[in-house]
Amino acid sequence: MLAIKKHGDESAINPLIVRIKTILKRKRTVKSDDLLIGLEFLVRFIKDYKEISDLFDWIKSKKWDLLFDNEKKWINNFEGL
């Protein structure tokens, strides 16, 4: 995730969306920065790709209870949503 955030381009968007959906398929017990790193990367392209805003909507409507508090706070503080 860190490599994608630092060096990734638009070609990483779809694989990253798939990875984030995989992360959120079940309740997590171990905190990891992967989800936030992926979301931070995706927000760079949110205005140009509807699938990114759809992902955020899906997270907020269906997966909110699976997020850790710091992830909820980050999403709530992101003004683009």
Side-chain angles (χ1 to χ4, degrees):
M1 286 288 199
L2 287 173
I4 289 174
K5 182 180 176 187
K6 187 171 183 177
H7 303 290
D9 61 9
E10 294 177 7
S11 65
I13 291 172
N14 285 331
L16 200 50
I17 289 172
V18 170
R19 176 68 183 133
I20 288 171
K21 286 183 175 183
T22 300
I23 290 171
L24 292 175
K25 278 189 178 179
R26 61 180 70 111
K27 186 167 178 69
R28 299 169 293 148
T29 57
V30 177
K31 286 188 178 183
S32 169
D33 292 335
D34 283 353
L35 182 65
L36 285 180
I37 291 168
L39 294 176
E40 288 171 357
F41 173 81
L42 290 175
V43 296
R44 290 191 241 165
F45 304 100
I46 197 165
K47 292 181 182 175
D48 298 325
Y49 291 88
K50 184 181 181 326
E51 52 266 45
I52 297 172
S53 58
D54 290 346
L55 174 70
F56 277 90
D57 291 341
W58 175 76
I59 291 170
K60 289 166 67 176
S61 66
K62 304 228 187 262
K63 298 298 180 175
W64 192 254
D65 292 338
L66 299 179
L67 299 178
F68 293 116
D69 289 340
N70 64 321
E71 296 164 344
K72 290 177 183 179
K73 183 177 178 181
W74 186 89
I75 290 174
N76 283 331
N77 288 335
F78 179 65
E79 293 179 4
L81 296 177

